[in-house]
Amino acid sequence: MEDEDEGGGEEDCEEQRQRQNQAAPALFLCPISLEIMRDPVIVCTGQTYDRPSIEKWIRDGHRSCPITMLHLHDLTLIPNIIVRQLIEAWCSKEESASAMFAPSPPSPPPPPFLLAHHDFSPQESLDLGRRERVLGLLRRIAKGQDVRQSVATLKSMAKEELCGSSPTPPEAKKVCSCIVEAGGALLMASMLADELIQHGTALHGSPDGFIQHGTALHGAPDGFTARHEDSPCEEIMSLLALLCRGASREVIGAVLSESGALQCVVCHLGSAQIDLASRMSAAVLLKRLLATEEMRVEVGQSTQFFHGLLDLIDSSSSKKGLVKLLHLACSHKPNRSTAVEEGAIQILVNLLLAASSPPSSSSSSGEDRGLETTERALATLEQLCTVEQGRRAVCESTAAVHCAVRLLVGYSRPATEHATGLLLLVCQSGPVQVVQIAMRAGARRQLLLLLQSDCTGRAKKRALELLKLFHAIFFVQGDEHASSDFKNVDLY
């Protein structure tokens, strides 16, 4: 009986450990054992492993990094205190930290022959120096030393690597990858979550003020605007936006979501009392994150996101990236009704009303005239018209119909395509009055010109459908003058 009890206890412990491994963020798992790291250490390639796993790997005679397969020219194992602290904080909520963690033993010195017989190339030496500097800055941030300046330095290093005149070769170790692999993204996320807790009221009556994973992002903490001047949030969000490249985008999105830091980013975007630079940094980060469907779903639950974004579009002079962010958010169809309810239609119509004449052939770029912003605004209006609330709002806006008619011809091929799509959606499902408004604005003449222009096949198909619709409506009403314009057009 005792043996059975002991066996049952071991099975329970194993099941509990498996549940923890499945629930833990991916960055907490050792790439070798696929279990939560009890003693995370960094090898010379910048990867983090659990000490027992990587030591066994080395004892078995391997001299390459299990993930990158790069040569381990230095066998010194550096404790990753940042990841360790974050794992301990996560496990403490699971009431398992005390039994799980043991003191980190010092790393044994590497065998001298490994260093003596390895000649470092200039690029490898430079790479090692960058990695050591990154790890040093992350340690200072974790200890609370010169946090703002250290984050700014990391941002400068990442920006130089991504945007510099002499980019790092693909085979070299990237600064951005090193920051993410060493737990820098987790550290930044935890600092954003702390900022929300310290300078905002607790959400949903949470007794300790923590934002639990999965909490819907509804509303902003009333006290969030009382931030101290040395808050590093702007620098942190700018750094995370730079890190959101390739596979790191999904990693950073998951980290922000699970830590509750995503709420802090949305609060920065939505608070009119926060400085414009911080709000724009939040917008850039969210634009990178919303490239994934999962983030569009989660952020779309927040009315504060749309309210803040639309307010920023209306008040900021730099609208291109903000309109793109709105378009990305509305790519998830359930988000479109929320955007309409928060006033997106009127904001977009205002952009179209302010659109200048189409760029001339002599201009070097259409960007100066807001070409891309106008095209994106039209595309977003077309998106919003795929839901009933959006069509109803456009039908009630004479200005929206007039803008779509004006941009049918002579602006750009994408603008023509989106304008025909927008008009077709509202004229097919809207009241006859919408068709009358479009006709009075010169829609028939514009569509006939469009058919003779060098537009896309889709635009021509939509133009023909609109002309058929106009003809059918006015023919039924017996308006011979209106229908006479269609005699020379092959409608069918």
Side-chain angles (χ1 to χ4, degrees):
M1 292 293 292
E2 291 180 0
D3 292 340
E4 292 180 1
D5 292 341
E6 290 178 0
E10 291 177 359
E11 290 179 0
D12 291 341
C13 291
E14 180 63 23
E15 290 179 2
Q16 181 181 2
R17 187 171 65 178
Q18 291 179 358
R19 286 196 299 269
Q20 285 179 337
N21 292 334
Q22 293 173 356
L27 288 178
F28 291 175
L29 303 180
C30 174
I32 299 175
S33 66
L34 300 180
E35 295 185 347
I36 297 175
M37 292 183 283
R38 291 157 174 76
D39 185 10
V41 292
I42 305 173
V43 297
C44 63
T45 61
Q47 302 291 333
T48 298
Y49 301 96
D50 199 13
R51 183 186 293 275
S53 298
I54 191 63
E55 286 182 341
K56 183 178 185 302
W57 173 268
I58 293 172
R59 283 197 307 271
D60 290 343
H62 299 290
R63 290 298 180 267
S64 60
C65 174
I67 291 181
T68 66
M69 300 308 294
L70 295 175
H71 177 65
L72 293 176
H73 54 76
D74 185 347
L75 294 187
T76 303
L77 303 178
I78 304 174
N80 193 332
I81 59 173
I82 299 167
V83 171
R84 181 183 175 90
Q85 290 171 355
L86 292 169
I87 295 176
E88 287 177 338
W90 182 83
C91 288
S92 65
K93 297 178 183 179
E94 304 292 324
E95 299 180 352
S96 59
S98 59
M100 184 176 224
F101 287 90
S104 179
S107 300
F113 69 88
L114 285 176
L115 297 179
H117 295 279
H118 184 77
D119 295 327
F120 294 103
S121 68
Q123 182 57 56
E124 285 178 323
S125 299
L126 179 62
D127 190 33
L128 286 170
R130 284 174 178 165
R131 184 162 55 250
E132 287 301 319
R133 190 180 182 196
V134 166
L135 295 176
L137 288 167
L138 290 176
R139 290 190 189 101
R140 291 184 66 82
I141 294 170
K143 295 177 181 178
Q145 300 173 350
D146 298 326
V147 173
R148 188 184 181 92
Q149 182 59 44
S150 298
V151 175
T153 302
L154 285 174
K155 186 181 81 170
S156 298
M157 293 175 66
K159 190 172 184 179
E160 180 182 359
E161 179 182 77
L162 295 168
C163 309
S165 56
S166 55
T168 307
E171 65 273 9
K173 185 65 182 176
K174 298 286 197 298
V175 170
C176 295
S177 299
C178 183
I179 294 173
V180 174
E181 291 163 2
L186 287 166
L187 179 60
M188 300 300 126
S190 66
M191 292 172 66
L192 286 176
D194 289 343
E195 180 79 6
L196 183 65
I197 294 167
Q198 294 172 11
H199 301 283
T201 55
L203 298 183
H204 301 284
S206 178
D208 56 0
F210 281 92
I211 312 302
Q212 301 296 335
H213 171 50
T215 300
L217 306 179
H218 296 297
D222 296 334
F224 184 72
T225 55
R227 299 188 309 135
H228 53 89
E229 294 182 357
D230 293 331
S231 171
C233 287
E234 179 190 344
E235 299 289 348
I236 289 174
M237 290 185 292
S238 297
L239 173 59
L240 289 174
L242 289 171
L243 298 180
C244 283
R245 308 276 175 165
S248 296
R249 179 185 290 113
E250 295 184 0
V251 172
I252 292 172
V255 166
L256 289 172
S257 178
E258 292 172 2
S259 65
L262 188 60
Q263 173 69 48
C264 182
V265 180
V266 172
C267 285
H268 273 80
L269 178 75
S271 177
Q273 299 182 39
I274 291 179
D275 60 279
L276 182 61
S278 292
R279 296 183 71 188
M280 292 300 292
S281 295
V284 172
L285 174 55
L286 287 167
K287 185 174 69 173
R288 299 274 171 80
L289 293 173
L290 263 61
T292 64
E293 179 68 14
E294 292 78 6
M295 282 290 102
R296 291 196 286 268
V297 171
E298 183 163 359
V299 173
Q301 299 175 16
S302 171
T303 56
Q304 185 196 356
F305 165 77
F306 287 104
H307 180 81
L309 176 57
L310 293 170
D311 175 70
L312 200 54
I313 292 174
D314 193 38
S315 59
S316 172
S317 59
S318 178
K319 303 181 187 295
K320 175 183 170 183
L322 298 173
V323 176
K324 184 175 182 180
L325 174 56
L326 178 62
H327 185 75
L328 279 172
C330 292
S331 298
H332 182 58
K333 191 171 183 177
N335 292 347
R336 297 171 192 175
S337 298
T338 306
V340 173
E341 292 169 1
E342 291 298 318
I345 298 294
Q346 188 57 53
I347 296 294
L348 292 170
V349 170
N350 290 343
L351 288 176
L352 298 182
L353 288 171
S356 61
S357 59
S360 63
S361 57
S362 61
S363 61
S364 60
S365 171
E367 182 61 29
D368 295 337
R369 294 176 180 267
L371 172 62
E372 190 172 344
T373 301
T374 301
E375 292 172 350
R376 190 77 65 176
L378 264 176
T380 308
L381 268 177
E382 185 184 1
Q383 271 184 333
L384 297 179
C385 284
T386 60
V387 297
E388 183 181 353
Q389 298 96 318
R391 291 192 295 272
R392 186 164 57 246
V394 169
C395 289
E396 294 172 355
S397 172
T398 302
V401 179
H402 276 251
C403 286
V405 172
R406 176 169 61 87
L407 296 170
L408 278 173
V409 179
Y411 200 83
S412 70
R413 288 162 66 96
T416 295
E417 191 166 310
H418 295 308
T420 53
L422 169 62
L423 286 172
L424 189 59
L425 283 168
V426 296
C427 289
Q428 281 181 334
S429 59
V432 176
Q433 288 80 0
V434 177
V435 178
Q436 292 174 340
I437 292 172
M439 297 282 276
R440 284 196 293 268
R444 286 187 299 177
R445 179 177 177 277
Q446 291 283 78
L447 290 170
L448 291 170
L449 289 173
L450 189 155
L451 291 175
Q452 307 303 319
S453 68
D454 182 27
C455 63
T456 64
R458 178 183 294 181
K460 287 188 177 181
K461 181 179 179 180
R462 291 173 173 177
L464 281 171
E465 290 181 11
L466 279 166
L467 288 170
K468 291 177 185 179
L469 178 64
F470 292 168
H471 178 68
I473 290 175
F474 282 88
F475 179 78
V476 170
Q477 290 182 352
D479 190 338
E480 296 180 0
H481 176 71
S483 61
S484 64
D485 289 343
F486 298 91
K487 291 180 180 179
N488 296 324
V489 178
D490 184 11
L491 296 176
Y492 302 98

